[in-house]
Amino acid sequence: MKFAKFSAISIYTASRSHSFLRLQCLIRKSNMSGGYTLRVIPLSSHSIQSCEKTSGTDCMSDMDSWADQSSLPNATSMFQRERLNHGKVEISPSAYDTAWVAMVPARGYSGSKQPCFPQCLDWIMKNQNPDGSWGLQYPGHSLLVKDSLSSTLACVLALRKWNEGQQLDWTSSGLMVGLPVGKISFLPLDSVLFFPAMINYAKELDLTLPLSSTLVDSLLHVRDSEIRRNQNLEYVAEGLGNSCNWKEILTRQTSNGSLFNSPATTAAALIQCHDDKCFQYSISVLKVFDRWVPTMYPMAIYTHLCMVDTLERLGVSRYFRHEIDCILDEMYRCWQGKEEEISGHEFIDREHFFNTVGRQYSGVTTVLELYRASQMRIYKEEAILEKIHAWTSAFLKQQLLSGSILDKGLHKQVTDKIKNFHGTLDGVGNRRSIELYDVQNVQILKAAYMRRTIHNEDFIQFSVQDFSISQDQYQKELQQIQRWCAECRLDRLNQGRKALQVCYFLSAAVIVDRELSTARMSYAQVIVLLTCLDDYFDLYGSREEALRIIELVRNWNMQPAKTELSEEAEILFTALYKTVNEVAAEAYATQGRCVKHDLVSMWVELLTNSARTKEPWSDSKMPNLDEHLSIAWKTVGCKLCVLTSIHFLGMKLPADVFTCAELTNLCKNASLVCRLLNDLRTFKREYAERVLNSVSVQTIEGAISEEEAILKVKQMIEDNKRKVLRMVYQREGSVVPRKCKKLFWKTCKIAYFLYSHDGGDEFTSPQEITKDMNAVIWEPLEPKSFSEAVEHQEWRDAMRSELDTLEKSSTWHLSTLPEGKLAIGCKWASRQWNVEFTAYGFRQSVHDHYLFVKDIPLGPIVLLVYVDDILITGPSLSAIQEVKNYLHTLFTIKDIGDARYLLGLEIA
């Protein structure tokens, strides 16, 4: 990477749609008077690797690990590989956009009484939903209910315009049914803009709609307010009709003839302006999709980048290294050629960004990606990214507080990133991504759409299977490390922290690939030994014996006399001696050279400096901050963990790697990040014990306040984090293999993971991380589909039990499904319970039909129903128990105890 030309950093931002993409942000120096501009380019995080190819064993395009593809069914991976290779975008039809294309008159345009694209009319007539609507249907999905309103009205207008579809029952269809008068928020914001225009057009066509004048007036008022408040409305120009300056809008036309790659907007321009480029664009889209159009075209680049991003998030990208590299090479070629679909947006600040990118890119997802981008600052001065961080973090926090993020998956992602951005370990992130993956994922632009290229059962089944196999291996490795612990007699140490499982979990969460078992085990062994030695030095060992252990390590081959050490000290030295020798022997087998001297030297350095920092401070020998940190960074196990395990990452290490300045700087900067994060959590305890750390050393003599010292430490963490990331992405002149550099950064993430929780030191007192540890190692993933669930006996039994319960409760009566009607799911079963609740004295809320309230002398009893779950609260336990007893006489119920979570929120 040539830093003199531009700096490239791995970031997240949004492009072309409401979905996640890993991208590259190229920050280029402009003229001296112009400062910096930021250009967001739709490239994957691997694009840095694709910019320039290198030779040798450590190409930037290499995967983090080997992939044993034989460990998973070839047929499964073949399906994924085919999707990556064939280039076809699997996207659902857009009834809304197809209707607008259908309204385009034949050449001769507005004077013509024939449609230009009759095949679209034919598609509309053959694709009406059973309930009379048009658009995607997915039971229970609120976005699709809203989307069907716009899609249905657009299709009705197209049919009416050409006097087609009289045989369809669209006049009595579900059009607008359930749209509450006055509740305009029920509609998506873009729909509010183009919905009134379609209503006016319906009047012109003498089409009567089941809408009150009050509702129409409200829609017009909201639309006019939005027009006055927003500048970038060209994307929904079809909703502005004749009030648009269409000639000016056509100046935004792309080389493919479209407006914003939107078939609907382009069709509206074609109706208004008779533009030949718009006509050719519409022809080109229909050549691909035949009788219908999607809500955006083209989408190939965007979709393929989403595929890369999805595979990375699910933790299976290593199986598709060649395919991913081909995609990213093509993306980079497009970027070099400045092709429109991959060009980006330049922006300076928040206002400029929202005024530039257009409405289709300005949602929460886009802001989340920009927030991620702002976290990846690698230079000392990153003014633009710092500005982005300030406003995006404030925006996302406000969205969470206001409850504006309705999508549960997106809400979870925003919450996690705001809470602890750098503290998501790879294994934990993969698990969360798998759990949030939705085969029926629906995205919304103007219209709802689904992309089977990205969201399909093949991807999730493959990922679940891969994760499950990894869990099996992790469990076996944990047993191995427990045996190692017993063989080294470390389990006989009665004092100190019992952190064996936590140590292994941290290792498994950063070195996730199954094939790297030896690297993972050696990393975990180092953490265990460091923990045991630190506890001995810090808590219960004598200083004399600590110094004796150090002397024995320094004189490695000199065995201690039996009476020379206490039992605890002898166990610790023997465990260290045995483990280092075994690791050195394995490293010799993989690297072809002896590394024992390097390993022993690192242990001597760490233990010696640890002993020095344990000395109580006195006024006569008070170091300053720089002097303290020159020793303190060497007491962190970051260097030892990484430089022990890198011998087993599947690559040959250069002979001079351990002596190069680059590695020394990596060790120092990464270790400082870990040391300083720990200090922020432990400085009060250590001050009471008269042990110095980076906070107390600044405040003891009263030079600055505690608050000022903390701010300075936080800035030092930020500065060193940027240096680490800069070295990770540096290529020219780099000697250290990138896999090694990435492992340093992942080790820094462990420190963020452990020490950034509000509760304090999660390593010493694990609370929050226990859930993540169980999720990575122990808890099996729940099936993502019925076909997957029926493969497991326990899930078949659970389904049988659920059905038995519903049948015993007389929830339904078997009958023949009437023709043209849809069966409903069990979510509707709760409707049958309402009668029983009201009979017992509960009244149903008119504001929320799932809420029931019963008044008793002590106060109200509240009952909240969701599907087949009931939450009860009230003024006394006896009153609640009485309700439960009554319910049990009516239904087969199971009391699962006190509520801990409600709709994903923890109940304090």
Side-chain angles (χ1 to χ4, degrees), residues 206-477:
D206 196 26
L207 178 64
T208 302
L209 300 177
L211 299 172
S212 69
S213 59
T214 302
L215 176 58
V216 173
D217 291 341
S218 298
L219 287 167
L220 291 171
H221 175 73
V222 173
R223 184 196 65 174
D224 293 341
S225 298
E226 285 297 320
I227 292 174
R228 287 193 298 270
R229 188 164 60 244
N230 291 280
Q231 300 177 17
N232 295 329
L233 299 177
E234 296 95 337
Y235 176 65
V236 290
E238 69 270 23
L240 306 180
N242 296 328
S243 64
C244 280
N245 184 339
W246 284 97
K247 289 186 178 180
E248 182 178 338
I249 290 176
L250 281 173
T251 62
R252 304 283 299 276
Q253 196 172 33
T254 61
S255 60
N256 63 22
S258 75
L259 289 171
F260 319 107
N261 290 331
S262 167
T265 307
T266 307
L270 183 55
I271 294 171
Q272 296 285 340
C273 299
H274 314 161
D275 183 79
D276 189 62
K277 286 185 177 180
C278 291
F279 176 73
Q280 294 300 327
Y281 168 78
S282 300
I283 290 289
S284 68
V285 178
L286 286 168
K287 280 183 178 180
V288 176
F289 300 100
D290 191 22
R291 298 183 305 127
W292 56 270
V293 298
T295 194
M296 178 174 283
Y297 181 85
M299 294 186 76
I301 288 177
Y302 159 67
T303 300
H304 282 99
L305 286 172
C306 282
M307 291 178 72
V308 173
D309 185 66
T310 299
L311 292 171
E312 289 179 341
R313 289 172 183 267
L314 295 175
V316 295
S317 59
R318 65 190 186 278
Y319 295 101
F320 309 99
R321 181 68 266 160
H322 173 72
E323 290 77 15
I324 288 174
D325 279 346
C326 289
I327 289 174
L328 298 180
D329 286 343
E330 176 64 14
M331 298 303 105
Y332 185 62
R333 184 198 63 76
C334 294
W335 177 75
Q336 284 183 312
K338 298 182 179 179
E339 296 188 13
E340 283 182 323
E341 195 182 351
I342 204 167
S343 63
H345 303 286
E346 291 189 355
F347 57 91
I348 305 300
D349 52 30
R350 171 182 178 172
E351 186 173 343
H352 185 211
F353 172 75
F354 278 110
N355 289 336
T356 302
V357 299
R359 296 174 62 83
Q360 68 270 40
Y361 311 137
S362 58
V364 172
T365 302
T366 305
V367 177
L368 174 61
E369 304 307 328
L370 289 173
Y371 174 75
R372 288 170 166 166
S374 71
Q375 293 282 4
M376 303 303 288
R377 304 182 290 275
I378 65 173
Y379 288 105
K380 188 173 183 179
E381 298 296 332
E382 300 269 23
I384 291 179
L385 289 181
E386 285 164 3
K387 282 184 178 179
I388 292 173
H389 180 265
W391 73 260
T392 54
S393 58
F395 177 87
L396 293 172
K397 289 175 182 176
Q398 189 275 330
Q399 294 292 302
L400 290 173
L401 289 173
S402 64
S404 302
I405 307 176
L406 302 180
D407 183 273
K408 293 180 181 179
L410 181 57
H411 188 282
K412 174 65 174 172
Q413 292 181 59
V414 173
T415 301
D416 289 343
K417 294 304 177 185
I418 290 293
K419 182 179 180 180
N420 189 4
F421 180 84
H422 294 301
T424 301
L425 306 182
D426 290 357
V428 177
N430 293 343
R431 169 80 186 227
R432 290 176 184 170
S433 295
I434 291 172
E435 290 176 334
L436 291 174
Y437 187 91
D438 183 7
V439 172
Q440 301 292 343
N441 178 268
V442 174
Q443 299 291 317
I444 293 285
L445 288 174
K446 290 178 187 176
Y449 68 98
M450 302 173 75
R451 292 169 300 157
R452 293 302 182 197
T453 313
I454 311 299
H455 299 279
N456 57 77
E457 290 204 5
D458 291 337
F459 272 8
I460 192 59
Q461 288 179 5
F462 185 77
S463 303
V464 168
Q465 189 175 15
D466 181 69
F467 190 89
S468 299
I469 294 172
S470 295
Q471 276 191 319
D472 290 340
Q473 177 150 337
Y474 296 160
Q475 292 167 19
K476 293 175 183 177
E477 288 177 1

Side-chain angles (χ1 to χ4, degrees), residues 498-654:
K498 306 300 180 185
L500 181 65
Q501 288 200 37
V502 174
C503 294
Y504 176 76
F505 157 68
L506 296 175
S507 175
V510 296
I511 306 177
V512 298
D513 299 347
R514 294 189 303 280
E515 299 76 24
L516 301 179
S517 177
T518 306
R520 190 163 43 248
M521 292 289 286
S522 62
Y523 194 103
Q525 288 171 340
V526 171
I527 303 178
V528 173
L529 290 169
L530 286 169
T531 303
C532 293
L533 286 162
D534 183 65
D535 287 345
Y536 184 80
F537 280 35
D538 198 24
L539 300 177
Y540 63 92
S542 68
R543 176 169 174 76
E544 292 73 17
E545 286 209 323
L547 294 175
R548 180 58 183 148
I549 291 175
I550 296 172
E551 186 64 23
L552 288 168
V553 176
R554 185 177 285 113
N555 300 289
W556 187 252
N557 292 320
M558 185 177 68
Q559 294 296 313
K562 290 185 177 180
T563 59
E564 193 173 355
L565 295 173
S566 66
E567 181 182 5
E568 291 89 348
E570 187 271 331
I571 289 174
L572 288 169
F573 173 75
T574 303
L576 178 61
Y577 184 84
K578 176 179 182 293
T579 303
V580 170
N581 285 340
E582 289 176 350
V583 170
E586 289 182 286
Y588 183 83
T590 59
Q591 297 296 325
R593 65 184 184 87
C594 182
V595 300
K596 184 187 295 185
H597 175 75
D598 296 328
L599 298 177
V600 172
S601 297
M602 287 189 291
W603 277 104
V604 170
E605 178 186 58
L606 183 139
L607 295 174
T608 301
N609 286 287
S610 293
R612 291 177 65 184
T613 60
K614 303 301 181 186
E615 297 176 6
W617 52 266
S618 65
D619 296 336
S620 61
K621 54 176 184 178
M622 180 67 62
N624 60 34
L625 180 59
D626 290 338
E627 291 171 338
H628 169 73
L629 290 178
S630 67
I631 297 173
W633 77 264
K634 299 173 183 177
T635 67
V636 178
C638 175
K639 177 180 178 180
L640 258 172
C641 288
V642 175
L643 298 189
T644 299
S645 57
I646 61 167
H647 297 96
F648 312 109
L649 293 180
M651 60 187 177
K652 287 285 186 180
L653 297 172

